Amino acid sequence: MKHIINLIPYLPMANWLTIKQLSAKRGLTESTLRNWTNLGYITSATIDGIIMLDDDSLTSYLNVHQTKGLNKESLEKLIKEKESEYEIVLSQLDDELFLLKTQKLHQPLFHIIIKELGQLITDTSQREIFLSISCGETISRVAVRHNMTYQDTINTYSELLINLSKNTERIATFRDRAMTSLFGKYNTDDPTNIPLRRMISDRACNALFKLNIHTVHQLLQYTAQNGWPRLKRLEGLGEITYNEIINALYNANFIVFHENKSIGLSPEISALIL
């Protein structure tokens, strides 16, 4: 652990040297000393703004990790192993930090997915346990609300996860029902393959046909690359025809409107396009 102080007298029984001084004395690189300090192998302190290392703590560390007759080559190998260990620790911390940031940023999306999974749990009490814990509520509070012990609540939640994992076909079935409900009238496995003539007027189709856009999929690809406003600039496709296309796609559940009024793909269609 690092200690921040201003005066040497407050640190008795220590042999303080700068990183550079200790490096020269011990024949160890400064980067190695810094790594060992960060890992807590060497006691350090900040004295008048300068990082100081305790030579005695380094001696203790080396005595513990050295074996009788350990030569310079073996010591260098040990140093490299510890440096690799340090890099691994940092890498793991970076990964965990990234996951935490990602979960916080995309929490609304994760909650939607969790709610959909919850619909596959038929028991009302178990569904509530699954949704509450998955969305971040503490296990102890969930346990109290359901008159369960802490361990029983953990066991119930774990069993729910196992069952969901074992029955992934139920998730597929649930999605199939949603797709059938939204796009069943088109009688196709992939609604993005629907010809535009089935949805919009001949005037709108003729303007899009000039760009070889004949299906919903081709139209969505074009707007993904060029943006929706680009449609307004197509020959023979003005504001009225543009609104006709947008309304047709919206009413058919292909697109959604965000709060900032921008246009996005519906979740079901986005999964097909991606």
Side-chain angles (χ1 to χ4, degrees):
M1 178 181 293
K2 296 183 179 180
H3 305 277
I4 301 177
I5 63 169
N6 294 317
L7 297 176
I8 295 178
Y10 289 116
L11 295 170
M13 304 300 290
N15 186 9
W16 298 105
L17 297 172
T18 65
I19 295 177
K20 186 174 183 179
Q21 290 171 337
L22 190 56
S23 173
K25 177 181 178 180
R26 293 288 192 165
L28 299 171
T29 65
E30 293 184 24
S31 62
T32 296
L33 293 175
R34 289 192 181 91
N35 288 344
W36 287 2
T37 301
N38 290 332
L39 289 171
Y41 301 153
I42 306 175
T43 302
S44 65
T46 301
I47 302 173
D48 293 333
I50 300 174
I51 297 177
M52 305 293 288
L53 305 183
D54 178 18
D55 186 29
D56 292 339
S57 68
L58 175 58
T59 298
S60 299
Y61 171 72
L62 292 177
N63 287 339
V64 170
H65 290 79
Q66 282 180 331
T67 58
K68 188 174 181 179
L70 185 64
N71 55 32
K72 182 177 180 181
E73 181 180 348
S74 299
L75 180 58
E76 290 177 348
K77 181 179 179 181
L78 177 62
I79 291 172
K80 289 182 179 180
E81 290 176 352
K82 292 302 179 181
E83 288 178 344
S84 297
E85 178 183 310
Y86 172 65
E87 294 298 329
I88 292 173
V89 171
L90 283 183
S91 177
Q92 291 174 340
L93 290 175
D94 286 342
D95 289 347
E96 292 176 0
L97 182 60
F98 171 77
L99 288 174
L100 288 173
K101 289 181 177 179
T102 301
Q103 289 177 5
K104 183 177 181 180
L105 178 63
H106 299 290
Q107 191 175 64
L109 172 61
F110 293 152
H111 283 183
I112 292 174
I113 297 173
I114 289 168
K115 287 181 179 179
E116 289 199 4
L117 288 174
Q119 295 303 313
L120 301 176
I121 302 173
T122 56
D123 184 275
T124 303
S125 177
Q126 291 187 348
R127 184 190 308 119
E128 202 279 333
I129 291 173
F130 170 78
L131 293 175
S132 298
I133 296 177
S134 297
C135 290
E137 187 174 354
T138 61
I139 295 175
S140 57
R141 289 184 58 182
V142 176
V144 170
R145 189 164 64 251
H146 287 269
N147 295 319
M148 299 170 64
T149 66
Y150 184 90
Q151 188 60 48
D152 285 342
T153 306
I154 290 179
N155 294 339
T156 298
Y157 183 72
S158 298
E159 289 175 3
L160 289 171
L161 290 178
I162 291 173
N163 289 333
L164 287 173
S165 299
K166 286 182 178 179
N167 298 283
T168 53
E169 69 277 1
R170 293 183 63 198
I171 300 175
T173 301
F174 182 77
R175 174 175 170 74
D176 287 342
R177 289 203 302 267
M179 292 294 289
T180 300
S181 174
L182 293 173
F183 307 106
K185 62 181 179 181
Y186 296 111
N187 194 28
T188 177
D189 293 334
D190 186 350
T192 64
N193 289 329
I194 297 172
L196 289 173
R197 284 195 179 280
R198 295 183 60 182
M199 300 181 58
I200 56 180
S201 66
D202 290 340
R203 178 190 178 96
C205 285
N206 291 335
L208 295 173
F209 288 172
K210 294 177 182 179
L211 294 177
N212 198 32
I213 299 176
H214 297 271
T215 66
V216 173
H217 191 280
Q218 291 171 338
L219 176 58
L220 296 179
Q221 281 186 323
Y222 177 85
T223 54
Q225 295 173 359
N226 302 283
W228 290 93
R230 182 71 175 272
L231 292 178
K232 298 179 183 179
R233 299 198 292 271
L234 297 181
E235 181 181 353
L237 203 159
E239 186 76 23
I240 295 177
T241 309
Y242 170 79
N243 289 333
E244 175 198 337
I245 294 174
I246 296 299
N247 290 331
L249 292 174
Y250 175 77
N251 292 330
N253 302 302
F254 286 101
I255 62 173
V256 294
F257 295 107
H258 300 304
E259 292 183 1
N260 61 2
K261 298 184 179 180
S262 63
I263 299 173
L265 300 179
S266 65
E268 296 77 14
I269 296 302
S270 179
L272 290 176
I273 296 297
L274 298 177

